[in-house]
Amino acid sequence: MKFSTLTLLSAALCAAGLAQAAAPSDASVQKASSASLREWIEVLALPNDSNVAADIEKNAQWFKAALDKRGFQTQLLPNQGKPMVLATLPPVPGATKTVLFYAHMDGQAVTPAEWQQESPWKPVLKERQADGSWKEIALDQLYGAEPNPEWRVFGRSSSDDKAPIIMLMAALDALKQQGLAPSTNIKILLDSEEEKGSPSLGGVINANLDALKADALLVLDGPMHASNRPTLVFGNRGVAQATLTIYGPSQDLHSGHYGNYAANPAFTMAQLLASMKAPDGRVLVKGYYDGIRFDAPTQAVMQAVPDDEVALRKRLGIAQAEKVGNNYQESMQYPSLNVRGLQSADVGAKARTVVPAQAIAELDLRTVPETPPERLLQLLKTHIEGQGFTLIEGEPSAEQRAQHPKLASLKMGGVSASSSAVRTDLNAPIGDWLRQGMQQAWGQAPVQIRMMGGTVPTGAAVQALKVPFVIVPMVNADNNQHSKNENMRLGNYFDGVKSLASILSQPWK
Amino acid sequence: MKFSTLTLLSAALCAAGLAQAAAPSDASVQKASSASLREWIEVLALPNDSNVAADIEKNAQWFKAALDKRGFQTQLLPNQGKPMVLATLPPVPGATKTVLFYAHMDGQAVTPAEWQQESPWKPVLKERQADGSWKEIALDQLYGAEPNPEWRVFGRSSSDDKAPIIMLMAALDALKQQGLAPSTNIKILLDSEEEKGSPSLGGVINANLDALKADALLVLDGPMHASNRPTLVFGNRGVAQATLTIYGPSQDLHSGHYGNYAANPAFTMAQLLASMKAPDGRVLVKGYYDGIRFDAPTQAVMQAVPDDEVALRKRLGIAQAEKVGNNYQESMQYPSLNVRGLQSADVGAKARTVVPAQAIAELDLRTVPETPPERLLQLLKTHIEGQGFTLIEGEPSAEQRAQHPKLASLKMGGVSASSSAVRTDLNAPIGDWLRQGMQQAWGQAPVQIRMMGGTVPTGAAVQALKVPFVIVPMVNADNNQHSKNENMRLGNYFDGVKSLASILSQPWK
């Protein structure tokens, strides 16, 4: 973005003239952060594979106890052996708003042999070497006077998503140490199956709607912007899937005897797919982008994101980006139409000289709030029929083969709340509150992501609670989440506690 | 075809007024045919898997002896333990032309357990039952007075390709019995590796060019037209292969974070393939069909082939044919561009939500004499570059990725003589000779296939010998060649001997 625009934005934030409340001192934040590290290391030693109920139960008990200790009223919300934790701080005198913090205790499954440490459940402290590798150092150094912010703790869920829970507790500790109360009432919900796509979250919320009642949802999860600047994420795209099959001859045919006679479904598929997308990447299906527009301030917010697209394209190995939006952030505001898999007969050593019997394209559609998946899939159907295809369900009958020269099926995948697109208005009060907290902590506006491209199961909670939400990611972008050698940078840990303490101190106007 | 055209064709053949030479009587042909059946059954008991040199050697010895007995001068042409057989009849007084008959002794490998008989190498006689199944009957009945023409002998190479060799010997026997000499000098070459694509045929021919010198090559192989009418095939298409790869990002990308940003190579492939072929099946690559045209008589010959295209399309499971030619036969006269395999990432249970790193299309091009494979592949390259692609060899480097938005490679497969297209002019003297022989035997013109769509390794012999050739198929189209339960219909056996005896009796003008 241009410097002038950035200046204007900062000026606008200042001009808003939000009162700045007393936040805990840096020393107090540092003290509380340091004190919390032992709890973090302790809970990282508890295995938390989403699939293992007994382990999830132990984590729930641990977090319940840690929150009890801090004066929360806590309960385990039953969930088929994998309870979620709900913790509610006693009402804050004078507070008119309630914020529900969401995070999750569970982690991805692990393959211990792949990790460069004894066990993913035995966290270790590491320091980066000159050659870029990581060397283990004594864990005790973590508890010393000034741990190096570049050190990292390696272990499953070190970043995703146990650190943010401990960081929130540390921020509350910092306030308490200085006799400060948070500016809003606080509730915390800890999910137990996020890594499985939160299949049970909507149900558990609906069963506990009164207890979970809040004015806003803050999701403490996910990585910060690659620049590692404080980040707010106001939405995420949803995802829907469909399988497109083009039917050719009733079985693979000899390509010598029938090449030039029986239409090849791989070519027919190519012609159909080519009709759906322009070479510049824009979807040609009529109505696909209907209803999507941004005003100038929104465009400015997206332009202000410090994406290094030259570096991004280099990392992805592509010379140029598609032309769906004017920049990366804008491109994520539109629904996508993606071929995630394509096959007709075989390639490589298994290839035979045949006219294949069929061609299959697996599609995924990233959706945005303006474009519910049902509508996009209907537009796709209309488009396919407009290209002369007869859409059928399943394998064609001999009669259908005899009647229709272009036969296809489009089988929709299931659509759930946890795969839906959700977005909070950048101008919603929750946004002002968070921006002000970040501004006060860091002296500059946070990176604001209007809507991220990927799908997170936030939609299940948002749809059940019907409140505005914002994702506040705090962990380093290169944390290897879901993979081997997951890690959390100490500097991000300390900075995140500071951000949270500042936010919790801001009055919500 | 219209009746009037058929009448004209028949009239034209009669008007040619070719002299009809004395042919052996039907009784003589029947006697020689019946007598040859024991030899056929005997040689079918010799295993002849192309891959087993010791077995091929035994077959070669057997055929050599059978031809020696008939007065041929014979020799085994060395071929790395799998000798071919060359047999030359003493010069016929007055004959000015020499015809080289080609057939092959070897057979496809077998999986005995799949066959509905004790062994593929133990031929059996079967009769079709009312329910369509085949029931074994006593082999002795084959040698009785009037074997049923609908009976079939089942066994490996019963049709492909031992029967035609024995049938040729029987036809010569029939002439001899009546004191007739063939109208041309006769040579016979028996290939030993046809089922492997005749990799050694060109070399063996070139090593024995003088001994093999002839005015025409008659290939006794392959099935007759589906109508089971006497058939002449004047050519076959060739085949070339290429692998087209479109390079997307350097690795599979998260389709949420990069869908709408990193171009999807499956779509890019679709757009490229769609640019190559019109929806009606005609190839759009510039120059692809250059030089291909037929005059009216040639078109009439193709129209006269009694293809039942309605039944064909029903059998293939397609509602309409591509519009490359006006009918099936015409369509086979053009080069094809076929996607024999297509893949990008995975489909089905293995599909993941990614922007794939690449897309691969395996192509096969059926070639015709007017369009050598090298030219077609060059046209394809030009077309791809014309669509804005940069063609590279192998995986792109980081520099190539950074410079070129559309990266592809086109890797050519090897092209050999045995996969080349060959065709003899329908008006060549060898055609007149064969048509006259068929006409005399059956009172009607044979089905004439100008060029069949599939590829047979005839090209290796034709290119080495540099003579016109015609394929004279004599076995039933439903003979299960290359498969389990290969069989030969007795009626085809007897009719084939009659055709050959008639042809051998015709003077070659």
Side-chain angles (χ1 to χ4, degrees), chain A residues 296-314:
Chain A
T298 304
Q299 276 178 317
V301 165
M302 292 189 286
Q303 277 187 342
V305 177
D307 290 322
D308 183 345
E309 294 201 35
V310 171
L312 175 62
R313 289 194 293 272
K314 187 175 175 187

PDB file of all heavy atoms in Angstrom, chain A residues 296-314:
ATOM      1  N   ALA A 296     -14.413   1.390  -0.911  1.00  0.00           N
ATOM      2  CA  ALA A 296     -13.019   1.844  -0.934  1.00  0.00           C
ATOM      3  C   ALA A 296     -12.298   1.582   0.387  1.00  0.00           C
ATOM      4  O   ALA A 296     -11.147   1.117   0.381  1.00  0.00           O
ATOM      5  CB  ALA A 296     -12.959   3.322  -1.312  1.00  0.00           C
ATOM      6  N   PRO A 297     -12.924   1.844   1.540  1.00  0.00           N
ATOM      7  CA  PRO A 297     -12.206   1.563   2.797  1.00  0.00           C
ATOM      8  C   PRO A 297     -11.853   0.085   2.946  1.00  0.00           C
ATOM      9  O   PRO A 297     -10.773  -0.260   3.431  1.00  0.00           O
ATOM     10  CB  PRO A 297     -13.207   1.997   3.876  1.00  0.00           C
ATOM     11  CG  PRO A 297     -14.119   2.976   3.207  1.00  0.00           C
ATOM     12  CD  PRO A 297     -14.221   2.522   1.789  1.00  0.00           C
ATOM     13  N   THR A 298     -12.766  -0.784   2.528  1.00  0.00           N
ATOM     14  CA  THR A 298     -12.495  -2.217   2.618  1.00  0.00           C
ATOM     15  C   THR A 298     -11.315  -2.580   1.723  1.00  0.00           C
ATOM     16  O   THR A 298     -10.427  -3.353   2.111  1.00  0.00           O
ATOM     17  CB  THR A 298     -13.747  -3.010   2.213  1.00  0.00           C
ATOM     18  OG1 THR A 298     -14.825  -2.603   3.042  1.00  0.00           O
ATOM     19  CG2 THR A 298     -13.516  -4.500   2.362  1.00  0.00           C
ATOM     20  N   GLN A 299     -11.318  -2.005   0.513  1.00  0.00           N
ATOM     21  CA  GLN A 299     -10.193  -2.261  -0.385  1.00  0.00           C
ATOM     22  C   GLN A 299      -8.887  -1.768   0.222  1.00  0.00           C
ATOM     23  O   GLN A 299      -7.850  -2.418   0.108  1.00  0.00           O
ATOM     24  CB  GLN A 299     -10.430  -1.576  -1.737  1.00  0.00           C
ATOM     25  CG  GLN A 299     -11.297  -2.431  -2.658  1.00  0.00           C
ATOM     26  CD  GLN A 299     -11.568  -1.741  -3.978  1.00  0.00           C
ATOM     27  OE1 GLN A 299     -11.848  -0.546  -3.997  1.00  0.00           O
ATOM     28  NE2 GLN A 299     -11.507  -2.504  -5.056  1.00  0.00           N
ATOM     29  N   ALA A 300      -8.961  -0.641   0.908  1.00  0.00           N
ATOM     30  CA  ALA A 300      -7.757  -0.085   1.535  1.00  0.00           C
ATOM     31  C   ALA A 300      -7.246  -1.016   2.631  1.00  0.00           C
ATOM     32  O   ALA A 300      -6.036  -1.225   2.771  1.00  0.00           O
ATOM     33  CB  ALA A 300      -8.053   1.298   2.102  1.00  0.00           C
ATOM     34  N   VAL A 301      -8.165  -1.586   3.401  1.00  0.00           N
ATOM     35  CA  VAL A 301      -7.755  -2.533   4.445  1.00  0.00           C
ATOM     36  C   VAL A 301      -7.017  -3.718   3.827  1.00  0.00           C
ATOM     37  O   VAL A 301      -5.977  -4.164   4.329  1.00  0.00           O
ATOM     38  CB  VAL A 301      -8.989  -3.014   5.249  1.00  0.00           C
ATOM     39  CG1 VAL A 301      -8.644  -4.249   6.077  1.00  0.00           C
ATOM     40  CG2 VAL A 301      -9.507  -1.896   6.147  1.00  0.00           C
ATOM     41  N   MET A 302      -7.550  -4.220   2.717  1.00  0.00           N
ATOM     42  CA  MET A 302      -6.916  -5.382   2.084  1.00  0.00           C
ATOM     43  C   MET A 302      -5.554  -5.010   1.502  1.00  0.00           C
ATOM     44  O   MET A 302      -4.600  -5.760   1.598  1.00  0.00           O
ATOM     45  CB  MET A 302      -7.844  -5.967   1.026  1.00  0.00           C
ATOM     46  CG  MET A 302      -9.100  -6.594   1.667  1.00  0.00           C
ATOM     47  SD  MET A 302     -10.137  -7.535   0.533  1.00  0.00           S
ATOM     48  CE  MET A 302     -10.900  -6.217  -0.390  1.00  0.00           C
ATOM     49  N   GLN A 303      -5.500  -3.806   0.916  1.00  0.00           N
ATOM     50  CA  GLN A 303      -4.225  -3.362   0.352  1.00  0.00           C
ATOM     51  C   GLN A 303      -3.179  -3.147   1.435  1.00  0.00           C
ATOM     52  O   GLN A 303      -1.979  -3.256   1.181  1.00  0.00           O
ATOM     53  CB  GLN A 303      -4.421  -2.046  -0.408  1.00  0.00           C
ATOM     54  CG  GLN A 303      -4.923  -2.231  -1.815  1.00  0.00           C
ATOM     55  CD  GLN A 303      -4.946  -0.913  -2.591  1.00  0.00           C
ATOM     56  OE1 GLN A 303      -4.914   0.157  -1.987  1.00  0.00           O
ATOM     57  NE2 GLN A 303      -5.010  -1.014  -3.902  1.00  0.00           N
ATOM     58  N   ALA A 304      -3.652  -2.819   2.654  1.00  0.00           N
ATOM     59  CA  ALA A 304      -2.721  -2.503   3.739  1.00  0.00           C
ATOM     60  C   ALA A 304      -2.046  -3.742   4.319  1.00  0.00           C
ATOM     61  O   ALA A 304      -1.063  -3.626   5.054  1.00  0.00           O
ATOM     62  CB  ALA A 304      -3.461  -1.758   4.845  1.00  0.00           C
ATOM     63  N   VAL A 305      -2.559  -4.924   3.991  1.00  0.00           N
ATOM     64  CA  VAL A 305      -1.940  -6.149   4.521  1.00  0.00           C
ATOM     65  C   VAL A 305      -0.540  -6.277   3.920  1.00  0.00           C
ATOM     66  O   VAL A 305      -0.381  -6.207   2.700  1.00  0.00           O
ATOM     67  CB  VAL A 305      -2.798  -7.386   4.180  1.00  0.00           C
ATOM     68  CG1 VAL A 305      -2.110  -8.660   4.661  1.00  0.00           C
ATOM     69  CG2 VAL A 305      -4.182  -7.255   4.804  1.00  0.00           C
ATOM     70  N   PRO A 306       0.470  -6.415   4.755  1.00  0.00           N
ATOM     71  CA  PRO A 306       1.848  -6.390   4.231  1.00  0.00           C
ATOM     72  C   PRO A 306       2.272  -7.716   3.594  1.00  0.00           C
ATOM     73  O   PRO A 306       3.284  -8.316   3.987  1.00  0.00           O
ATOM     74  CB  PRO A 306       2.679  -6.073   5.484  1.00  0.00           C
ATOM     75  CG  PRO A 306       1.895  -6.687   6.611  1.00  0.00           C
ATOM     76  CD  PRO A 306       0.443  -6.529   6.227  1.00  0.00           C
ATOM     77  N   ASP A 307       1.465  -8.182   2.625  1.00  0.00           N
ATOM     78  CA  ASP A 307       1.852  -9.406   1.915  1.00  0.00           C
ATOM     79  C   ASP A 307       3.017  -9.099   0.985  1.00  0.00           C
ATOM     80  O   ASP A 307       2.975  -8.115   0.249  1.00  0.00           O
ATOM     81  CB  ASP A 307       0.676  -9.923   1.069  1.00  0.00           C
ATOM     82  CG  ASP A 307      -0.455 -10.463   1.930  1.00  0.00           C
ATOM     83  OD1 ASP A 307      -0.161 -11.107   2.959  1.00  0.00           O
ATOM     84  OD2 ASP A 307      -1.633 -10.252   1.566  1.00  0.00           O
ATOM     85  N   ASP A 308       4.015  -9.950   0.994  1.00  0.00           N
ATOM     86  CA  ASP A 308       5.116  -9.826   0.035  1.00  0.00           C
ATOM     87  C   ASP A 308       4.807 -10.807  -1.098  1.00  0.00           C
ATOM     88  O   ASP A 308       5.206 -11.965  -1.067  1.00  0.00           O
ATOM     89  CB  ASP A 308       6.440 -10.168   0.714  1.00  0.00           C
ATOM     90  CG  ASP A 308       7.623  -9.991  -0.230  1.00  0.00           C
ATOM     91  OD1 ASP A 308       7.401  -9.886  -1.461  1.00  0.00           O
ATOM     92  OD2 ASP A 308       8.760  -9.970   0.265  1.00  0.00           O
ATOM     93  N   GLU A 309       4.034 -10.308  -2.076  1.00  0.00           N
ATOM     94  CA  GLU A 309       3.557 -11.241  -3.107  1.00  0.00           C
ATOM     95  C   GLU A 309       4.662 -11.724  -4.037  1.00  0.00           C
ATOM     96  O   GLU A 309       4.578 -12.814  -4.593  1.00  0.00           O
ATOM     97  CB  GLU A 309       2.393 -10.616  -3.901  1.00  0.00           C
ATOM     98  CG  GLU A 309       1.166 -10.415  -3.008  1.00  0.00           C
ATOM     99  CD  GLU A 309      -0.135 -10.297  -3.797  1.00  0.00           C
ATOM    100  OE1 GLU A 309      -0.277 -10.963  -4.840  1.00  0.00           O
ATOM    101  OE2 GLU A 309      -1.018  -9.535  -3.351  1.00  0.00           O
ATOM    102  N   VAL A 310       5.693 -10.911  -4.201  1.00  0.00           N
ATOM    103  CA  VAL A 310       6.816 -11.376  -5.019  1.00  0.00           C
ATOM    104  C   VAL A 310       7.446 -12.597  -4.346  1.00  0.00           C
ATOM    105  O   VAL A 310       7.689 -13.623  -4.982  1.00  0.00           O
ATOM    106  CB  VAL A 310       7.854 -10.245  -5.207  1.00  0.00           C
ATOM    107  CG1 VAL A 310       9.120 -10.794  -5.876  1.00  0.00           C
ATOM    108  CG2 VAL A 310       7.254  -9.117  -6.030  1.00  0.00           C
ATOM    109  N   ALA A 311       7.653 -12.486  -3.033  1.00  0.00           N
ATOM    110  CA  ALA A 311       8.232 -13.613  -2.298  1.00  0.00           C
ATOM    111  C   ALA A 311       7.266 -14.793  -2.273  1.00  0.00           C
ATOM    112  O   ALA A 311       7.672 -15.954  -2.382  1.00  0.00           O
ATOM    113  CB  ALA A 311       8.578 -13.178  -0.876  1.00  0.00           C
ATOM    114  N   LEU A 312       5.972 -14.476  -2.150  1.00  0.00           N
ATOM    115  CA  LEU A 312       4.965 -15.540  -2.118  1.00  0.00           C
ATOM    116  C   LEU A 312       4.983 -16.339  -3.425  1.00  0.00           C
ATOM    117  O   LEU A 312       5.028 -17.569  -3.415  1.00  0.00           O
ATOM    118  CB  LEU A 312       3.570 -14.934  -1.887  1.00  0.00           C
ATOM    119  CG  LEU A 312       2.395 -15.904  -1.958  1.00  0.00           C
ATOM    120  CD1 LEU A 312       2.497 -16.976  -0.876  1.00  0.00           C
ATOM    121  CD2 LEU A 312       1.062 -15.165  -1.848  1.00  0.00           C
ATOM    122  N   ARG A 313       4.965 -15.627  -4.554  1.00  0.00           N
ATOM    123  CA  ARG A 313       4.951 -16.325  -5.844  1.00  0.00           C
ATOM    124  C   ARG A 313       6.230 -17.144  -6.029  1.00  0.00           C
ATOM    125  O   ARG A 313       6.203 -18.241  -6.576  1.00  0.00           O
ATOM    126  CB  ARG A 313       4.765 -15.325  -6.981  1.00  0.00           C
ATOM    127  CG  ARG A 313       3.358 -14.737  -7.023  1.00  0.00           C
ATOM    128  CD  ARG A 313       3.077 -14.014  -8.329  1.00  0.00           C
ATOM    129  NE  ARG A 313       3.869 -12.818  -8.495  1.00  0.00           N
ATOM    130  CZ  ARG A 313       3.518 -11.609  -8.058  1.00  0.00           C
ATOM    131  NH1 ARG A 313       2.360 -11.439  -7.434  1.00  0.00           N
ATOM    132  NH2 ARG A 313       4.305 -10.570  -8.252  1.00  0.00           N
ATOM    133  N   LYS A 314       7.321 -16.618  -5.541  1.00  0.00           N
ATOM    134  CA  LYS A 314       8.577 -17.358  -5.641  1.00  0.00           C
ATOM    135  C   LYS A 314       8.482 -18.644  -4.825  1.00  0.00           C
ATOM    136  O   LYS A 314       8.884 -19.719  -5.274  1.00  0.00           O
ATOM    137  CB  LYS A 314       9.734 -16.486  -5.137  1.00  0.00           C
ATOM    138  CG  LYS A 314      11.091 -17.124  -5.364  1.00  0.00           C
ATOM    139  CD  LYS A 314      12.226 -16.188  -4.974  1.00  0.00           C
ATOM    140  CE  LYS A 314      13.556 -16.921  -5.102  1.00  0.00           C
ATOM    141  NZ  LYS A 314      14.667 -16.128  -4.584  1.00  0.00           N
TER     142      LYS A 314
END
